[in-house]
Amino acid sequence: MARKKAPQQRQRPARQYEGAKFSRLTADWLASGTSADAEVRGSLATLRNRARQLIRDSDYARQAIRAIRNNVIGTGVKMQSQVMKQRGGRLDDVANDRIEDRWAMWGRADTCHTAGRLSFQDIERLAVGSMAESGEVFIRLVPQTFGGGRVPLALEVIESDQLDETVDRMGTVSGQQFTGGEWRMGIHVDDWGRPLEYAFLTRHPGDDRTGYAARRHMVV
């Protein structure tokens, strides 16, 4: 007596994204699989400059940046102290008011900004706008007083253009050996990708009146 053949199980077709299928519509669609750094390397300055020109020339782009600033920062992120009394578990209103007053005094342009032109609110709005416009912005903490202030701290705003993206190699920088990690477009990162130091230019490279801009390294 002949055995009955077991019914063959129908194989389920492998699922696939529509965008990954090859057809007459996608045959000439070439997409690279490079990393984010590899994609932006060599194009960063052009993309940044075009974005800035778009904001200068387009009312829609300018309004988009303005909306981002207003929605994220508004009139400025305020300081609200929450110091508690040692007894009773209640807020110490006297201490909190004094801290907030001192914070407001430090946030003035002459004491908060190294150049004395931007208040803390201005720096907040500039930072958020620069991230949307240029992709990044750098703010350096300078541990010293400015403008007759009493708090040894001020903020230096550094445009992304001053990051020397040409420092982008492993092993040596300007003939000097360094160990551990690598330089990626002006940022020295360790083996885990954590920033160790930055290679900034002392002057803005687009200011043709300043001439040569030396490189300075800032350790995180």
Side-chain angles (χ1 to χ4, degrees), residues 93-112:
D93 295 333
V94 175
N96 289 326
D97 290 343
R98 185 175 300 174
I99 293 173
E100 292 172 6
D101 290 342
R102 296 297 187 273
W103 172 266
M105 292 177 60
W106 174 82
R108 297 179 304 186
D110 58 338
T111 54
C112 168

Side-chain angles (χ1 to χ4, degrees), residues 63-79:
Q63 179 59 30
I65 296 297
R66 187 180 298 115
I68 292 173
R69 288 173 174 166
N70 292 338
N71 290 328
V72 175
I73 300 301
T75 58
V77 178
K78 306 298 183 181
M79 167 67 172

Side-chain angles (χ1 to χ4, degrees), residues 4-6 11 19 25 48 58 64 66 71 85-86 96 102 137 139-140 145 163 181 210:
K4 294 182 178 181
K5 294 184 179 180
Q11 294 183 353
L25 299 177
R48 184 168 55 216
S58 171
R66 187 180 298 115
N71 290 328
K85 291 184 177 180
Q86 293 183 353
N96 289 326
R102 296 297 187 273
V137 65
I139 298 178
R140 179 190 180 195
T145 59
L163 184 67
T210 59

Side-chain angles (χ1 to χ4, degrees), residues 44 48 51-52 55 129-136 159-161:
L44 180 60
R48 184 168 55 216
R52 289 174 177 170
I55 293 171
S130 296
M131 286 188 290
E133 175 188 274
S134 305
E136 60 186 352
E159 283 194 79
S160 56
D161 306 66

